[in-house]
Amino acid sequence: MKKKSPTQKKSLKTIVPVTLAIFIFLLAGLYCVNYISQVNDEIRQKFDGKRWSVPAVIYARPLELYPGMQLTPDMFIQELQLAGYRQENPVQSPGGYFRKNSTINLITRDFSFPSGIEKSTSLRITFSANSITNLSNNKTGEELTFTRIDPARIGSFHPLIHEDRLVLKSSEIPEILRQCLITVEDKNFNTHYGVSPTGILRALYANMRAGRTVQGGSTLTQQLVKNFFLNRDRTLSRKIQEAVMAILLEYHYTKEDIFTAYLNEVFLGQDGGRAIHGFGLASQFYFRRNINDLSVAQVATLVGMVKGPSYYDPRKNPENCLARREIILRLMLDDNIITQEDFTLAQKSPLSDVVPQGNGFNRFPAFLDLVRRQLTEQYKEDDLKSNGLKILTTLDPQIQWNTEKQIKESTSVLANKTDQKQLQGAMIVTGRENGEVQAIVGSVNPLDAGFNRAVDAQRQIGSLVKPAVYLAALARGYTLASPIMDVSLAINNDGKSWRPENYDKKEHGQVALYAALAKSYNLATVRLGMDVGMQNVITTIKSLGYSEQLQPYPSLLLGSVTMSPLQICQIYQTIASGGFYLPLRSIHSVMDSDDKVLTRYALEVEQRFSPELIFLLTHALERVMHEGTGSRLQFSKDRFYAGKTGTSNDLRDSWFAGFSDAHLAVVWLGRDDNKPVSLTGSTGALRVWGKVMEAINSNSLEATEPENIAWQRIDTTTLQPATAINRNSTLLPFVSGTEPVTSWSAPEIDLQKIEDGAKKVEDGAKKILESLNNLFK
């Protein structure tokens, strides 16, 4: 075997390391290429796609104004503040208002309704005697017959990270904000390619001189990469990754794309559990202004907060914020972004010209919960959390506030009287004729976002079921004057003898049907229901709007079934609307992020009972309020409401459901542990209902009378026809042809006797006249 020469050995020693080095270099290069390719794909995929998970935003109903509307200036300002309006004098831009005595000037904001965009308008509104007396255009002086205020943002459906933002388009960015942000954060933004070597060196020099980190070398592009793609780890590998991604981002996208994305992504503070991202939302959150309405000082404040949103928060750390704003203003002056006059004026400006206050965002948890449930029937959960939908709802803030206030105060008083510290409650208010949910409270603490009792609490309904029993009877030939025996009875129920009792433990004998309902007599109701038939009663309950299964147990006639306040509200909605089934709705329409209408929740109407039968039942429910279990409610005798009390066994649940001319409301009171609360429907829930009706100034019920209704007076004891002179009588409505007729017949008339009697009267009159003549001669 031939030995290798020393030269050959030396060559091999050289080739092997070089080859290995080349291999490692190629491998590293291949890794870098592969890494850059992966990073490049990640950037393109996220930046070209949906950049942000923008939550669906929920709006209250718009406030519609017209001369003659019942509204006080204080109530109006409360609505304006909920909608994010601010007080300023003079009013200069959209979202501003000013009150002087009984006149309010304001400028509305643009808003896209399903019918189209309504542009900003300058308004003058004059009030007198708690109503609007004049409505006019502040610029032209033209008197207006109608206008509406852009609705308040009352909530959103956040993704798990709870970020929120108002995404701005490039064309919506004010030039002063653009210049200021570049001057402060990245002077070379328009010339570098993602990273700025001079900026890095300048930052290193400044930090070395200070002995600590006082300046960052990151460009706007790098900051965007850090916020948009990466975590906040301060490691060398992450900084290298940040630089690579910044260069790739600059390669693929324009400066305008990058700047607009940065403006929408940057973190600018915290609102409880909601993270404020982007200058669009920050301008509204801190100053109640749209981005284009910010003053020079306000622009400087927001740009200054980029460095540290918490440390420079104008509300929590005003001194830090003022010092930072001064620095930003001087930079703006030095770069000729503002004039010396602008600078001087901005220096003197307060940090904010609005008073921090609850903006109503997510402060109506029970209502938002109902909206979410109704939305998820047609939309996926991800759509609600990421697609920036606009949800226009039926919430009436005025009714909601009053409902919250009254249920909280009234239950507190009742809890003290009955020594029930754990007393809970729920209430729903809807429009009587349209089924729109105007207010909903799920707890005596309205801000409690936990268990929504208005929707989820399943409680025994007691006598609230009785109108269904009586409606079933009316549909099968009974009248309001039909006699019912209110006497004891025993019913075989699954081999056991069931003996119902009246609340007062008494029997009342024969009573009229209307009186049995008004007085809520249990014995009469059970007898009536058994005569009508359990299946007919169940069919009536389902036709009224209850969708769950019911068992034909006799105890159902006295409300042994459990339902939620929302289910009760649906049942009574059919009665209140004249026999028309209206599915309760909390949403008007859904629009996408481009203001295109996706879904309209139109009014659905289905007639399920004749107007005549519902008119009779409504009359009986009015009697409940004047002479029955609802008469505890103190109101003027010329005011008419219709409703029914409900009390479950052992006084565990106190209910009331009733309606006025414009509103239907259901109240439940009880304890979560289902222990007795020592309250009947009339001593508990009725009082809360009355307070709410009074607070929202709900008018007296004016039920529309169908054409074929006949009125007949009856004796309340004999239940026979009577005349008005009978003090023991009452006037009742009947379907024409069903009213009772008199049982007595007219006596025969003897005309000869009448003629003889008339002759005697005439002769007597003549004699009297003769006597008078003789007297005065």
Side-chain angles (χ1 to χ4, degrees):
M1 184 176 178
K2 190 176 180 181
K3 292 184 178 180
K4 294 180 180 179
S5 66
T7 304
Q8 287 176 317
K9 290 181 180 179
K10 186 175 182 180
S11 298
L12 286 172
K13 288 181 179 179
T14 305
I15 290 171
V16 171
V18 170
T19 303
L20 185 60
I22 292 173
F23 177 76
I24 294 173
F25 178 78
L26 291 174
L27 191 64
L30 184 63
Y31 173 80
C32 288
V33 170
N34 184 57
Y35 170 75
I36 292 173
S37 176
Q38 289 180 354
V39 170
N40 186 67
D41 290 343
E42 181 184 349
I43 289 173
R44 294 297 298 272
Q45 183 178 4
K46 187 167 183 180
F47 217 75
D48 286 343
K50 184 172 63 179
R51 297 181 184 176
W52 296 283
S53 293
V54 182
V57 177
I58 302 94
Y59 294 86
R61 60 94 182 96
L63 179 60
E64 299 178 341
L65 306 176
Y66 52 88
M69 177 183 181
Q70 292 292 309
L71 187 70
T72 68
D74 290 342
M75 292 165 60
F76 183 48
I77 288 176
Q78 188 180 23
E79 289 241 15
L80 290 177
Q81 291 176 345
L82 180 71
Y85 277 68
R86 67 193 177 277
Q87 184 172 346
E88 60 182 14
N89 185 24
V91 182
Q92 299 175 325
S93 55
Y97 75 91
F98 181 72
R99 175 183 179 179
K100 184 177 181 180
N101 299 325
S102 59
T103 299
I104 295 177
N105 295 320
L106 74 149
I107 301 178
T108 65
R109 296 176 295 221
D110 293 349
F111 192 83
S112 291
F113 291 96
S115 58
I117 188 170
E118 288 196 11
K119 303 296 290 183
S120 172
T121 306
S122 179
L123 298 174
R124 178 186 295 271
I125 305 169
T126 304
F127 297 82
S128 178
N130 297 331
S131 65
I132 297 176
T133 56
N134 185 266
L135 181 65
S136 61
N137 186 304
N138 219 358
K139 291 185 176 179
T140 66
E142 175 190 4
E143 292 195 1
L144 306 175
T145 57
F146 174 85
T147 192
R148 55 182 172 178
I149 309 298
D150 45 290
R153 285 166 48 109
I154 58 172
S156 63
F157 297 136
H158 292 281
L160 294 178
I161 52 177
H162 283 258
E163 290 184 359
D164 198 9
R165 57 176 53 78
L166 292 177
V167 178
L168 297 174
K169 299 175 183 177
S170 173
S171 58
E172 297 172 326
I173 302 173
E175 187 60 29
I176 187 173
L177 174 59
R178 184 190 303 273
Q179 293 182 31
C180 180
L181 195 56
I182 290 174
T183 292
V184 174
E185 292 294 325
D186 188 358
K187 281 202 171 202
N188 299 319
F189 174 73
N190 292 314
T191 57
H192 65 63
Y193 294 97
V195 294
S196 175
T198 57
I200 295 173
L201 292 174
R202 185 173 58 250
L204 283 173
Y205 177 70
N207 294 339
M208 288 175 64
R209 287 191 62 184
R212 57 190 176 90
T213 302
V214 295
Q215 186 174 331
S218 297
T219 64
L220 281 181
T221 312
Q222 287 176 275
Q223 292 181 44
L224 175 61
V225 166
K226 178 176 63 179
N227 294 332
F228 203 64
F229 297 101
L230 304 174
N231 56 41
R232 295 186 174 272
D233 293 343
R234 294 188 176 186
T235 62
L236 179 61
S237 61
R238 198 202 63 78
K239 292 297 291 185
I240 293 173
Q241 186 181 13
E242 177 186 294
V244 171
M245 296 182 84
I247 293 171
L248 290 172
L249 199 63
E250 291 271 356
Y251 175 77
H252 288 296
Y253 301 98
T254 66
K255 290 287 185 180
E256 191 62 27
D257 287 335
I258 294 170
F259 184 82
T260 303
Y262 176 85
L263 202 80
N264 286 312
E265 174 61 25
V266 64
F267 173 65
L268 288 170
Q270 199 78 23
D271 177 19
R274 179 175 66 136
I276 306 297
H277 281 262
F279 281 83
L281 184 59
S283 64
Q284 290 199 359
F285 176 66
Y286 291 107
F287 303 114
R288 294 180 175 259
R289 281 176 167 81
N290 291 333
I291 193 77
N292 284 290
D293 297 324
L294 294 175
S295 67
V296 170
Q298 290 162 347
V299 168
T301 298
L302 292 182
V303 171
M305 291 178 65
V306 172
K307 185 177 180 180
S310 178
Y311 187 76
Y312 297 112
D313 188 316
R315 299 176 181 178
K316 298 178 181 177
N317 299 302
E319 293 182 359
N320 298 343
C321 186
L322 274 173
R324 179 66 177 163
R325 188 184 74 171
E326 178 74 14
I327 294 172
I328 306 301
L329 288 173
R330 289 196 178 278
L331 288 173
M332 294 172 75
L333 179 63
D334 293 343
D335 276 20
N336 296 317
I337 298 174
I338 58 175
T339 65
Q340 180 64 48
E341 183 181 358
D342 294 330
F343 174 77
T344 304
L345 182 62
Q347 273 188 313
K348 296 177 181 178
S349 299
L351 270 179
S352 178
D353 57 358
V354 298
V355 177
Q357 55 194 7
N359 58 6
F361 211 75
N362 291 336
R363 77 159 308 291
F364 306 119
F367 184 84
L368 295 179
D369 178 50
L370 179 62
V371 169
R372 179 192 287 273
R373 297 182 195 219
Q374 294 191 347
L375 279 173
T376 52
E377 295 175 5
Q378 292 184 265
Y379 292 89
K380 296 179 180 178
E381 190 76 10
D382 287 346
D383 294 332
L384 302 180
K385 293 179 177 179
S386 61
N387 289 342
L389 301 180
K390 288 173 61 176
I391 317 298
L392 305 183
T393 74
T394 61
L395 179 81
D396 186 318
Q398 294 293 337
I399 295 178
Q400 178 71 32
W401 283 321
N402 279 308
T403 302
E404 291 177 353
K405 180 176 184 290
Q406 296 304 327
I407 199 169
K408 188 172 185 177
E409 292 180 357
S410 297
T411 52
S412 177
V413 171
L414 291 170
N416 289 331
K417 283 185 177 180
T418 58
D419 196 27
Q420 294 288 336
K421 304 306 180 185
Q422 298 182 46
L423 183 64
Q424 267 294 349
M427 186 170 186
I428 302 174
V429 182
T430 67
R432 183 175 76 87
E433 295 183 343
N434 55 27
E436 293 181 353
V437 179
Q438 299 172 340
I440 180 169
V441 176
S443 169
V444 293
N445 179 11
L447 298 180
D448 185 0
F451 184 52
N452 188 350
R453 295 165 185 81
V455 177
D456 293 324
Q458 292 288 322
R459 309 293 294 223
Q460 282 201 357
I461 65 173
S463 295
L464 288 188
V465 76
K466 289 178 180 176
V469 178
Y470 287 78
L471 180 58
L474 291 171
R476 285 157 184 80
Y478 281 82
T479 72
L480 295 182
S482 294
I484 306 174
M485 295 306 296
D486 185 65
V487 294
S488 63
L489 74 164
I491 298 175
N492 183 20
N493 186 18
D494 286 341
K496 296 180 180 180
S497 180
W498 179 55
R499 294 179 177 273
E501 293 181 328
N502 283 326
Y503 180 74
D504 61 6
K505 309 297 183 183
K506 298 178 181 179
E507 299 178 15
H508 303 93
Q510 176 180 283
V511 294
L513 182 142
Y514 83 88
L517 179 55
K519 303 288 187 180
S520 200
Y521 291 153
N522 290 339
L523 299 177
T525 301
V526 172
R527 285 184 175 276
L528 180 66
M530 296 303 293
D531 185 56
V532 169
M534 289 301 304
Q535 198 55 54
N536 289 327
V537 172
I538 289 175
T539 299
T540 300
I541 295 173
K542 286 185 168 294
S543 295
L544 284 170
Y546 185 68
S547 59
E548 305 296 328
Q549 291 297 317
L550 293 170
Q551 298 300 322
Y553 299 129
S555 58
L556 171 64
L557 300 171
L558 299 183
S560 62
V561 64
T562 61
M563 296 185 191
S564 70
L566 185 67
Q567 290 171 320
I568 290 294
C569 196
Q570 183 66 77
I571 289 173
Y572 275 78
Q573 188 73 51
T574 305
I575 299 173
S577 61
F580 292 90
Y581 173 71
L582 308 172
L584 299 180
R585 59 194 179 117
S586 60
I587 309 165
H588 274 305
S589 56
V590 177
M591 304 169 70
D592 65 15
S593 57
D594 294 322
D595 295 326
K596 177 183 177 182
V597 178
L598 299 178
T599 308
R600 292 180 187 269
Y601 289 75
L603 182 66
E604 299 178 18
V605 179
E606 178 188 346
Q607 185 170 353
R608 295 192 175 179
F609 298 93
S610 72
E612 292 81 8
L613 293 181
I614 296 297
F615 183 80
L616 299 184
L617 180 63
T618 300
H619 180 82
L621 293 176
E622 289 179 344
R623 296 281 187 139
V624 171
M625 306 301 290
H626 278 279
E627 58 194 70
T629 57
S631 60
R632 283 177 177 267
L633 183 65
Q634 299 298 315
F635 55 87
S636 173
K637 290 298 181 183
D638 61 350
R639 293 185 73 83
F640 291 90
Y641 300 122
K644 185 70 187 76
T645 56
T647 309
S648 67
N649 290 338
D650 301 322
L651 304 181
R652 299 176 189 274
D653 303 276
S654 172
W655 288 92
F656 187 81
F659 50 96
S660 64
D661 191 50
H663 306 102
L664 162 69
V666 174
V667 181
W668 167 82
L669 300 179
R671 285 178 53 146
D672 290 338
D673 58 11
N674 204 30
K675 291 183 178 180
V677 291
S678 304
L679 292 170
T680 65
S682 58
T683 60
L686 173 63
R687 296 188 178 187
V688 178
W689 187 91
K691 290 289 186 181
V692 171
M693 287 293 134
E694 181 181 4
I696 65 178
N697 196 28
S698 197
N699 293 327
S700 179
L701 174 64
E702 295 181 8
T704 302
E705 182 178 325
E707 291 184 1
N708 57 331
I709 290 293
W711 290 83
Q712 173 71 57
R713 185 171 291 278
I714 67 163
D715 185 289
T716 57
T717 301
T718 66
L719 307 184
Q720 294 298 312
T723 62
I725 61 174
N726 184 344
R727 293 186 177 183
N728 194 36
S729 67
T730 189
L731 191 62
L732 293 174
F734 298 85
V735 177
S736 295
T738 67
E739 64 271 26
V741 295
T742 180
S743 59
W744 55 271
S745 57
E748 294 184 5
I749 300 175
D750 190 333
L751 295 178
Q752 185 61 50
K753 287 183 177 180
I754 293 176
E755 185 177 342
D756 292 343
K759 178 69 169 139
K760 291 179 180 180
V761 171
E762 183 180 0
D763 291 343
K766 287 180 179 179
K767 291 180 179 179
I768 292 172
L769 287 174
E770 289 176 0
S771 298
L772 291 172
N773 287 330
N774 293 330
L775 180 65
F776 290 103
K777 282 183 178 180

